[in-house]
Amino acid sequence: MSGALFPRGRAVVGDGAVHVPGWLDPARQRELVEACRGWARGPVPMRHTTLPGGGVMSVRTVCLGWHWQPYRYSRTAGDVNGARVAPFPEWLAELGRAAVDEAYGEGAGERYAPDTALVNFYEGAARMGMHQDKDEKSRAPVVSLSIGDTCVFRFGNTRTRTRPYTDVELASGDLFVFGGPSRLAFHAVPKVYPGTADPASGMRAGRLNITLRETGLAGERRRARRESRWTACGQREREWPKSRR
């Protein structure tokens, strides 16, 4: 794991996949931690998700806007307590647009309209296996925010769970955005480094990961308009940051 004495630079990890270290300052991290604590209490509490085969995810998750359960979205949490999930706040959407601007250039986030967030909490030996974020109808970028303990984030390809992949350290305050050619890349969190969180983040232990997405479920016409923009951007490869791998 890299020490704090070594500067971490912005990196294009894959075509359309951008890592921006330290994007969230400590004050903003604390604000997000406090918000997550409130969301974790309900109306749908944070829980370990049960997979269709009977396995249970080691991370705990709470959702905003839309409730995710394998492998679909709904407004209510039928697999938890049947309640409607907490609304997705506009201030979080604005943060998402700023994140896309940061990753892809000014103006890129103008039409980004996330309507759901998955908040994952990693503690102890919790990890996440290789998977794709493909339950959304929209292919708008995914915005990922990290707070707390540093983790290894494994970012792969769109064809297979195996190599080639790149391991990236995500520390507290880091931003990772993936869209365009990398939108359906497999990715995972194979390891978290306990005790690496900066107390200034508001986290005493563990790692919070907040991912913002467009479900594409709010309305077919609006979804089609937004989707056409992201598709067009994908066709014009110069608009996506290019990896040098």
Side-chain angles (χ1 to χ4, degrees):
M1 184 177 61
S2 300
L5 294 177
F6 296 92
R8 300 179 305 134
R10 175 191 182 99
V12 179
V13 179
D15 294 350
V18 181
H19 174 212
V20 185
W23 187 65
L24 295 169
D25 64 30
R28 197 61 190 266
Q29 292 176 54
R30 290 192 297 272
E31 291 173 1
L32 285 166
V33 169
E34 284 305 310
C36 288
R37 285 176 177 146
W39 296 328
R41 290 190 290 268
V44 178
M46 184 170 272
R47 91 293 187 196
H48 292 282
T49 302
T50 300
L51 301 172
V56 178
M57 293 178 66
S58 58
V59 302
R60 287 191 286 160
T61 304
V62 67
C63 304
L64 307 177
W66 291 85
H67 179 73
W68 177 82
Q69 63 184 92
Y71 294 99
R72 62 188 178 87
Y73 286 96
S74 59
R75 289 295 193 185
T76 56
D79 62 331
V80 185
N81 60 4
R84 188 179 179 92
V85 298
F88 184 87
E90 179 58 28
W91 63 263
L92 194 55
E94 291 174 359
L95 184 63
R97 285 188 279 273
V100 173
D101 275 349
E102 179 66 37
Y104 298 148
E106 186 175 354
E110 181 181 356
R111 296 188 184 180
Y112 186 57
D115 59 346
T116 192
L118 272 64
V119 180
N120 291 321
F121 179 55
Y122 295 75
E123 60 182 339
R127 61 183 182 174
M128 184 82 69
M130 281 296 236
H131 67 283
Q132 293 172 298
D133 292 345
K134 62 179 183 180
D135 298 326
E136 302 79 23
K137 290 186 177 181
S138 171
R139 291 296 178 252
V142 174
V143 169
S144 173
L145 305 169
S146 295
I147 305 174
D149 286 339
T150 297
C151 78
V152 175
F153 180 64
R154 181 161 292 169
F155 194 76
N157 60 84
T158 59
R159 301 176 304 280
T160 173
R161 287 179 169 83
T162 59
R163 294 182 184 273
Y165 54 71
T166 301
D167 283 349
V168 181
E169 283 189 357
L170 296 183
S172 197
D174 284 9
L175 166 68
F176 197 98
V177 179
F178 55 102
S182 290
R183 174 59 180 79
L184 293 180
F186 284 92
H187 53 284
V189 177
K191 185 175 180 60
V192 176
Y193 296 101
T196 54
D198 183 347
S201 69
M203 291 286 290
R204 293 185 295 273
R207 173 180 183 258
L208 279 173
N209 177 227
I210 306 168
T211 63
L212 313 184
R213 305 120 182 262
E214 282 189 21
T215 63
L217 298 171
E220 290 300 315
R221 290 185 179 179
R222 281 181 291 170
R223 182 188 69 82
R225 286 197 296 269
R226 290 197 297 269
E227 188 73 15
S228 66
R229 177 182 184 274
W230 296 115
T231 301
C233 288
Q235 291 170 347
R236 296 194 295 274
E237 292 185 352
R238 62 184 176 83
E239 296 192 14
W240 296 106
K242 301 289 287 183
S243 171
R244 295 182 180 179
R245 287 193 295 174

